[in-house]
Amino acid sequence: MTRLCRTFQTAPAAIPNDNSAKFLVSGLTSKGFQAPDWLVPDIEDGTAPSMKDEAVDNIIEHIPDHADDFAGDILPRVEWAYDDANARERGIEQVTRLAEAVGEELDGFVFPKVGRLDDVRDAAGVIADAERDAGLPEGTLEMAIILETAPGRSDLREICQYATDSRLSGLVFGPVDYTAELGGRTLDGERPRWDGLLEALSNETSAADIVAIGGPFDQLFHERAGVTYYNAEGYADQVAYEATIGIDGSWSLHPKQTEQANRIHMPTVEEMERDLHKIESFNEAKREGTGAVVVDGQMVDEATYKNFANTVKTVRAIDETHPAQTEAYYDDDLLARARDVELIFG
Amino acid sequence: MTRLCRTFQTAPAAIPNDNSAKFLVSGLTSKGFQAPDWLVPDIEDGTAPSMKDEAVDNIIEHIPDHADDFAGDILPRVEWAYDDANARERGIEQVTRLAEAVGEELDGFVFPKVGRLDDVRDAAGVIADAERDAGLPEGTLEMAIILETAPGRSDLREICQYATDSRLSGLVFGPVDYTAELGGRTLDGERPRWDGLLEALSNETSAADIVAIGGPFDQLFHERAGVTYYNAEGYADQVAYEATIGIDGSWSLHPKQTEQANRIHMPTVEEMERDLHKIESFNEAKREGTGAVVVDGQMVDEATYKNFANTVKTVRAIDETHPAQTEAYYDDDLLARARDVELIFG
Amino acid sequence: MTRLCRTFQTAPAAIPNDNSAKFLVSGLTSKGFQAPDWLVPDIEDGTAPSMKDEAVDNIIEHIPDHADDFAGDILPRVEWAYDDANARERGIEQVTRLAEAVGEELDGFVFPKVGRLDDVRDAAGVIADAERDAGLPEGTLEMAIILETAPGRSDLREICQYATDSRLSGLVFGPVDYTAELGGRTLDGERPRWDGLLEALSNETSAADIVAIGGPFDQLFHERAGVTYYNAEGYADQVAYEATIGIDGSWSLHPKQTEQANRIHMPTVEEMERDLHKIESFNEAKREGTGAVVVDGQMVDEATYKNFANTVKTVRAIDETHPAQTEAYYDDDLLARARDVELIFG
């Protein structure tokens, strides 16, 4: 099982408001199913160019107050672009300041608009430098990247293979910039879903054992006959599709999206009951010394056992960071079984 | 034209039954359209862990009795997994025993769950060793692999290029294990079709001139108002889709599926009439010395001629191994023309 | 912005008609929206084998008369095939004759059925030799290739990367030969759309900053109740899909198709108004010294500015070669703004 990231929630780190850290603090103090696995304070596209410095200040000011109570991981998104040296310089400064001031509270950084493998190496080098300058142990800070450029997509396989011996731990799809870079025009208002890219993203991140995250869904609200309402169907459909093709987590722009994606990327009660039953039956048969184990007509071997174990390990990972979520989602008996069952393989 | 494999029929080599070789023998003695091009006695997922040895015994016992009468190729599927050393050890033993005992009756082996190119090379090495130990001429035994892991898919292009100077002669899609490895969840009961993978599989096997086979279709039966019936529509739709994108053959789990796939992957009467007419007209024009040949408004050159010739060569390959099928499918005149026509190119 | 090629119109360079250069001359003298960005006099599949020499003669005879008045680029398609040495020899002779006789009037050559990167290099070498022999400055003649073989698709990424330091400036999809090479059968009359290939084509050409062109649409006419009519819907749907995924231009087989594709690949009035407004507002804010620029609630930075600038640059490129098209399509005021606006970035 790769790292837990059902939800990748971006929050602008500074907004034009009396309380410019409003969304940042709201993300840091989220509760229950609104608490994301990864909170991404956004200094890039979510923050106005004039507020970039204030965004860094906000993170430095507010993270220390809330990091202990925030159960998930925190990875700010800094500025970067393979084809814009100014953006890269600002990103270097942002990473350096943040690592120095609050590096111990952070889990890593998110780099947008990376290009070919060399550019990804450069971005990793920026973190390594900042980590060293800040006196943090090597490898403390992870890196996730947004897959949203033509050269980045072209080097997808090599970039994922690079994860094996680097701090790269996740890839996130960025469909808006990607479509613009390819020159795609939304003539009828619809962007392509880029199925080929998503398949390759799921495959290469699986081969590298790192996390794959889908793109943002920005049609947050619908309107009908004068009433505006949250577009729960549209977002849930996208998240369910992502789960179907093995994308591990989903991008969230809003606490309601986080609520939904946290649930959809959680093993269902049905999946839990099925997989726990297989594991428990296998364990019992093993204790009785049987060679082959057949459960409900299906043979269970080490490989299939590991798939069942993945379900349990995912639930345990959620349970450790967000017990309020597991306790609300599963009944006591099922959760106790997941906590207690012995995992022989996996 | 690559090798003939319209149908890749797996048969568990040992089942929990008084007659544990029932399915194996039934495959070996199949007749007419139920006779597959490739019969794959399955020692891997189709056979219970406790029956693996018996599966090998069954193959050794029954193949010699039936191999002469079985017109197609026989390639047992052994155990293997790029991420499981125990499975690989069992696979080595299975290949070694089978090559030694019945190597002369076999056409090769099928390796499941291969990983990157290095792992495919290792599998090929296992066959080479067993071949040599059994005193068989080098290259007698071919290899097909199941494409069902993330690293295998990642290395698809390199694996197919490796076929040029190796015994690798076919790739077969394994959607169930593939989806599980990528972490895909069947939330609404439907697995993705993995269109991107299938396109790449068709392309790379074509570039390498080896065989591409689609994945199994396991919704064998439907039930309606108390009556259970064979799902002929569902399977035929999948096979037709595979034919449309240039996948050469289909996986069969049942004699009825073999009947259907053998027919769908056979040139239709319409295709035969069209292509024979083009070839015959071209041949006649050549004899008359005309430079350019236009048939029914279409120019025919060496490249297009070869496409028409492929149809004839496929029919001839089927006709050689399964004359009962060609004689039942085409009328006498059409078949005689396919047998007799001169192929100037191709 | 890559080179302008909204329309890639092929015209058989010789047809069995009293006036065998009819289609060639008609393409060269096309007016208004029927004038393609690239005219491709076709010596390959569009011309009968017996008329290849006459096709070359026609180009040599008619190009000089019309090249000055034809605003677009002219790139003849010669014979070539990675797997047919005879076709390659004829192609070499055709390129050599044409470069010698009318090389100064040509913009390059189109090579069909290229294979792996080595074959593409060979084709480029043929142009280089002919260019030198004809005494033309190095690099005068560009090269476009048809992507229509399995090895060509397999090497797509490497072929596009090769464009960086070569005369390769465009890739064009050839679905009919591609489907045949993969062994795809049109059982229900429909060819696959090859979405995975098209996605990869759009991505790799964007990464290499070269032009991507879609495949031909040959269902030119429909018939209903005895009346045959131009299939405007079918072609426009295909062209719009191509624009959506970032394919830069479309293949045209007919002046009516050229009319449609020229329009669809032109920025719409809506796109022009939106992007000009963003650019003008940004420029004004910059003059006033504001740091961050927000236009209509969207932040504009160098990267997004470049996307808006691309729209203007495309219109300017069309305006330079086909002012009759821009003047007919946009009102005077909008066109004047596009001509006059300062582009700070891009």
Side-chain angles (χ1 to χ4, degrees):
Chain A
M1 204 196 86
T2 50
R3 299 183 70 246
L4 183 72
C5 182
R6 293 168 297 163
T7 38
F8 176 97
Q9 182 181 319
T10 47
I15 55 167
N17 184 289
D18 285 349
N19 174 9
S20 81
K22 186 180 165 193
F23 287 157
L24 172 64
V25 172
S26 145
L28 285 166
T29 55
S30 53
K31 299 286 172 227
F33 274 102
Q34 295 201 346
D37 287 337
W38 289 20
L39 180 69
V40 180
D42 190 10
I43 312 175
E44 201 221 8
D45 286 351
T47 292
S50 64
M51 304 190 76
K52 304 292 188 194
D53 288 340
E54 189 170 344
V56 176
D57 293 341
N58 280 345
I59 297 173
I60 292 174
E61 180 184 345
H62 293 283
I63 294 270
D65 295 343
H66 301 288
D68 284 353
D69 293 332
F70 181 77
D73 288 348
I74 303 174
L75 298 92
R77 177 165 74 161
V78 297
E79 291 183 89
W80 190 268
Y82 79 98
D83 57 354
D84 181 348
N86 292 330
R88 291 198 300 277
E89 252 175 62
R90 291 193 301 272
I92 293 170
E93 198 195 309
Q94 290 154 5
V95 168
T96 308
R97 281 192 63 203
L98 289 169
E100 179 66 37
V102 290
E104 293 189 15
E105 316 288 359
L106 299 179
D107 298 281
F109 290 96
V110 178
F111 279 75
K113 302 190 181 71
V114 293
R116 295 205 179 271
L117 175 57
D118 277 350
D119 188 56
V120 175
R121 284 185 197 277
D122 287 348
V126 170
I127 301 185
D129 290 346
E131 200 176 61
R132 198 176 41 247
D133 292 350
L136 296 166
E138 196 187 327
T140 311
L141 296 171
E142 301 191 6
M143 176 170 71
I145 59 176
I146 316 281
L147 181 68
E148 56 187 339
T149 73
R153 166 69 184 93
S154 182
D155 274 14
L156 172 61
R157 182 179 175 231
E158 288 72 20
I159 289 170
C160 285
Q161 287 178 326
Y162 165 67
T164 314
D165 43 38
S166 78
R167 66 185 72 232
L168 179 61
S169 62
L171 265 75
V172 188
F173 182 38
V176 177
D177 282 297
Y178 183 69
T179 304
E181 174 143 333
L182 262 57
R185 294 161 62 207
T186 53
L187 293 178
D188 61 356
E190 289 285 315
R191 254 200 323 271
R193 198 169 59 175
W194 302 112
D195 282 342
L197 179 149
L198 289 171
E199 251 198 72
L201 176 64
S202 182
N203 191 86
E204 297 302 332
T205 52
S206 292
D209 201 24
I210 59 178
V211 171
I213 312 291
F217 180 84
D218 51 18
Q219 298 172 296
L220 268 165
F221 296 96
H222 269 328
E223 188 268 354
R224 175 107 191 231
V227 173
T228 296
Y229 59 98
Y230 173 66
N231 183 4
E233 292 293 337
Y235 184 66
D237 283 349
Q238 177 176 309
V239 173
Y241 170 71
E242 289 166 355
T244 304
I245 61 166
I247 300 287
D248 306 287
S250 296
W251 192 315
S252 163
L253 295 168
H254 193 278
K256 279 193 168 39
Q257 291 191 337
T258 302
E259 280 205 62
Q260 290 190 295
N262 270 337
R263 280 188 176 85
I264 295 172
H265 285 297
M266 212 162 160
T268 62
V269 168
E270 200 180 19
E271 287 171 330
M272 273 274 276
E273 278 173 347
R274 182 195 65 198
D275 293 354
L276 276 169
H277 174 65
K278 300 266 169 122
I279 290 172
E280 290 161 349
S281 303
F282 183 94
N283 289 357
E284 196 179 323
K286 269 287 169 193
R287 271 192 294 277
E288 288 167 5
T290 317
V293 179
V294 176
V295 182
D296 301 339
Q298 187 198 6
M299 281 162 297
V300 178
D301 57 15
E302 188 177 332
T304 45
Y305 190 99
K306 280 180 184 170
N307 285 334
F308 306 138
N310 257 342
T311 304
V312 174
K313 287 158 75 182
T314 300
V315 170
R316 286 181 180 174
I318 301 168
D319 195 43
E320 270 171 41
T321 45
H322 302 104
Q325 294 182 15
T326 44
E327 282 160 17
Y329 200 72
Y330 306 111
D331 70 34
D332 293 350
D333 178 56
L334 195 64
L335 186 55
R337 284 164 65 198
R339 286 171 176 161
D340 297 341
V341 71
E342 184 194 2
L343 296 182
I344 299 177
F345 302 117
Chain B
M1 203 196 87
T2 51
R3 299 183 69 249
L4 184 70
C5 182
R6 293 167 298 164
T7 38
F8 175 98
Q9 182 181 320
T10 48
I15 54 167
N17 184 288
D18 286 349
N19 173 10
S20 81
K22 186 182 165 193
F23 287 157
L24 172 64
V25 173
S26 145
L28 285 166
T29 56
S30 53
K31 298 287 173 227
F33 274 103
Q34 295 201 345
D37 287 336
W38 288 20
L39 180 69
V40 180
D42 189 11
I43 313 175
E44 201 222 7
D45 286 352
T47 293
S50 64
M51 304 189 77
K52 304 291 189 196
D53 288 341
E54 189 170 343
V56 176
D57 294 342
N58 280 344
I59 296 172
I60 292 173
E61 181 183 345
H62 293 283
I63 293 271
D65 293 345
H66 302 287
D68 284 353
D69 293 332
F70 181 77
D73 288 348
I74 304 175
L75 299 91
R77 178 165 73 162
V78 297
E79 291 183 272
W80 190 268
Y82 79 99
D83 58 353
D84 181 348
N86 292 331
R88 290 198 300 276
E89 253 175 59
R90 291 193 299 274
I92 292 169
E93 200 194 309
Q94 290 155 5
V95 168
T96 308
R97 281 192 63 203
L98 288 168
E100 179 66 37
V102 291
E104 293 187 16
E105 316 287 359
L106 299 180
D107 298 281
F109 290 97
V110 178
F111 279 77
K113 301 189 181 72
V114 293
R116 294 203 180 271
L117 175 57
D118 277 350
D119 187 56
V120 174
R121 284 185 197 277
D122 287 349
V126 169
I127 301 184
D129 289 346
E131 200 177 59
R132 196 174 43 246
D133 292 351
L136 296 166
E138 195 187 326
T140 310
L141 297 171
E142 300 190 8
M143 175 168 73
I145 60 176
I146 317 280
L147 181 66
E148 56 186 340
T149 73
R153 166 69 184 94
S154 182
D155 274 13
L156 172 60
R157 182 177 174 235
E158 288 73 20
I159 289 170
C160 285
Q161 287 178 325
Y162 165 68
T164 314
D165 42 39
S166 77
R167 65 185 74 233
L168 178 61
S169 61
L171 265 77
V172 188
F173 183 39
V176 177
D177 282 297
Y178 182 69
T179 304
E181 174 142 333
L182 261 57
R185 296 161 63 207
T186 52
L187 293 179
D188 61 357
E190 288 286 316
R191 254 200 323 271
R193 197 168 61 173
W194 302 112
D195 282 341
L197 180 149
L198 289 171
E199 249 198 72
L201 176 64
S202 182
N203 190 85
E204 297 302 332
T205 53
S206 292
D209 201 24
I210 58 179
V211 172
I213 312 290
F217 181 83
D218 51 17
Q219 297 171 297
L220 268 165
F221 297 96
H222 270 327
E223 189 267 354
R224 175 106 191 236
V227 173
T228 296
Y229 61 97
Y230 173 66
N231 183 5
E233 292 292 338
Y235 184 66
D237 283 349
Q238 177 176 310
V239 173
Y241 170 71
E242 289 165 354
T244 303
I245 60 166
I247 299 287
D248 307 288
S250 297
W251 191 315
S252 163
L253 295 166
H254 192 280
K256 279 193 169 37
Q257 291 191 338
T258 301
E259 281 204 61
Q260 290 190 296
N262 270 338
R263 280 187 176 86
I264 294 173
H265 286 295
M266 212 161 159
T268 63
V269 168
E270 200 180 19
E271 287 170 329
M272 274 273 276
E273 279 172 346
R274 181 195 62 198
D275 294 354
L276 276 169
H277 174 64
K278 302 263 171 130
I279 290 172
E280 291 161 349
S281 304
F282 183 95
N283 290 357
E284 196 180 324
K286 270 286 169 194
R287 269 192 296 275
E288 290 168 3
T290 316
V293 180
V294 176
V295 182
D296 302 339
Q298 187 198 5
M299 281 162 296
V300 178
D301 57 14
E302 187 176 333
T304 45
Y305 190 99
K306 280 181 183 169
N307 285 334
F308 306 137
N310 257 341
T311 303
V312 173
K313 286 158 77 182
T314 300
V315 170
R316 285 181 181 175
I318 301 168
D319 194 45
E320 270 171 41
T321 46
H322 302 104
Q325 294 182 15
T326 43
E327 282 159 17
Y329 199 72
Y330 306 110
D331 69 34
D332 293 350
D333 177 57
L334 195 63
L335 187 55
R337 285 165 64 198
R339 285 171 177 160
D340 297 340
V341 72
E342 182 194 4
L343 296 182
I344 298 177
F345 303 118
Chain C
M1 204 197 87
T2 50
R3 297 182 72 247
L4 183 72
C5 182
R6 293 167 299 164
T7 39
F8 176 97
Q9 181 181 321
T10 48
I15 54 168
N17 185 288
D18 286 348
N19 173 11
S20 81
K22 185 182 165 191
F23 288 158
L24 172 64
V25 172
S26 143
L28 284 166
T29 54
S30 53
K31 298 288 171 225
F33 274 102
Q34 295 202 346
D37 287 336
W38 289 19
L39 179 69
V40 180
D42 189 11
I43 313 174
E44 200 222 7
D45 286 353
T47 293
S50 64
M51 303 190 77
K52 304 292 188 195
D53 288 340
E54 189 171 343
V56 176
D57 294 341
N58 280 344
I59 297 173
I60 292 174
E61 179 185 345
H62 294 283
I63 294 269
D65 294 343
H66 302 288
D68 284 352
D69 293 332
F70 181 76
D73 288 347
I74 303 174
L75 299 91
R77 177 164 75 161
V78 297
E79 291 185 89
W80 190 268
Y82 79 99
D83 57 354
D84 181 347
N86 292 330
R88 291 198 298 277
E89 253 174 62
R90 291 194 300 272
I92 292 170
E93 200 195 309
Q94 290 154 5
V95 169
T96 308
R97 281 192 63 204
L98 289 169
E100 179 65 37
V102 289
E104 293 188 15
E105 316 288 359
L106 300 180
D107 298 281
F109 290 97
V110 177
F111 280 75
K113 301 192 182 72
V114 293
R116 294 203 180 271
L117 175 56
D118 278 350
D119 188 55
V120 174
R121 283 185 197 279
D122 287 349
V126 169
I127 300 185
D129 289 346
E131 200 175 60
R132 198 175 42 247
D133 293 351
L136 296 166
E138 195 187 328
T140 309
L141 297 171
E142 302 192 5
M143 175 169 73
I145 59 176
I146 316 281
L147 181 68
E148 56 187 339
T149 73
R153 166 69 183 94
S154 182
D155 275 14
L156 172 60
R157 182 178 174 233
E158 288 72 20
I159 289 169
C160 285
Q161 287 178 325
Y162 165 67
T164 313
D165 42 41
S166 77
R167 65 185 73 232
L168 178 61
S169 61
L171 266 77
V172 187
F173 182 38
V176 176
D177 282 297
Y178 183 70
T179 304
E181 173 142 333
L182 263 56
R185 294 160 63 206
T186 52
L187 293 178
D188 60 357
E190 289 285 315
R191 253 200 324 270
R193 196 169 60 175
W194 303 112
D195 283 341
L197 179 149
L198 289 172
E199 249 197 73
L201 175 63
S202 182
N203 190 86
E204 297 302 332
T205 52
S206 292
D209 200 23
I210 58 178
V211 172
I213 312 291
F217 181 84
D218 51 17
Q219 297 171 297
L220 268 166
F221 297 96
H222 270 328
E223 189 269 352
R224 177 108 191 233
V227 173
T228 297
Y229 60 98
Y230 173 66
N231 183 6
E233 292 292 337
Y235 185 66
D237 283 350
Q238 177 176 309
V239 173
Y241 171 71
E242 289 166 354
T244 303
I245 62 167
I247 300 287
D248 306 288
S250 297
W251 191 316
S252 162
L253 295 167
H254 191 280
K256 279 193 168 37
Q257 291 191 338
T258 301
E259 280 204 62
Q260 290 191 296
N262 270 338
R263 280 189 176 83
I264 296 172
H265 285 297
M266 212 162 159
T268 62
V269 169
E270 200 180 18
E271 286 170 330
M272 274 273 277
E273 279 173 347
R274 182 195 63 200
D275 294 354
L276 275 170
H277 174 64
K278 301 264 170 125
I279 289 173
E280 291 162 348
S281 304
F282 183 95
N283 289 357
E284 195 180 324
K286 270 285 169 195
R287 270 192 295 275
E288 290 167 2
T290 317
V293 180
V294 176
V295 182
D296 302 338
Q298 187 198 6
M299 280 161 297
V300 178
D301 57 15
E302 188 176 333
T304 44
Y305 190 99
K306 281 180 183 167
N307 285 334
F308 306 138
N310 257 341
T311 303
V312 174
K313 286 158 76 183
T314 300
V315 170
R316 287 181 179 175
I318 301 169
D319 194 44
E320 271 170 41
T321 46
H322 302 102
Q325 294 182 14
T326 43
E327 283 161 16
Y329 199 72
Y330 305 111
D331 68 35
D332 293 351
D333 177 56
L334 196 64
L335 187 55
R337 284 165 65 198
R339 286 171 176 162
D340 297 340
V341 71
E342 182 194 5
L343 297 182
I344 299 178
F345 303 118

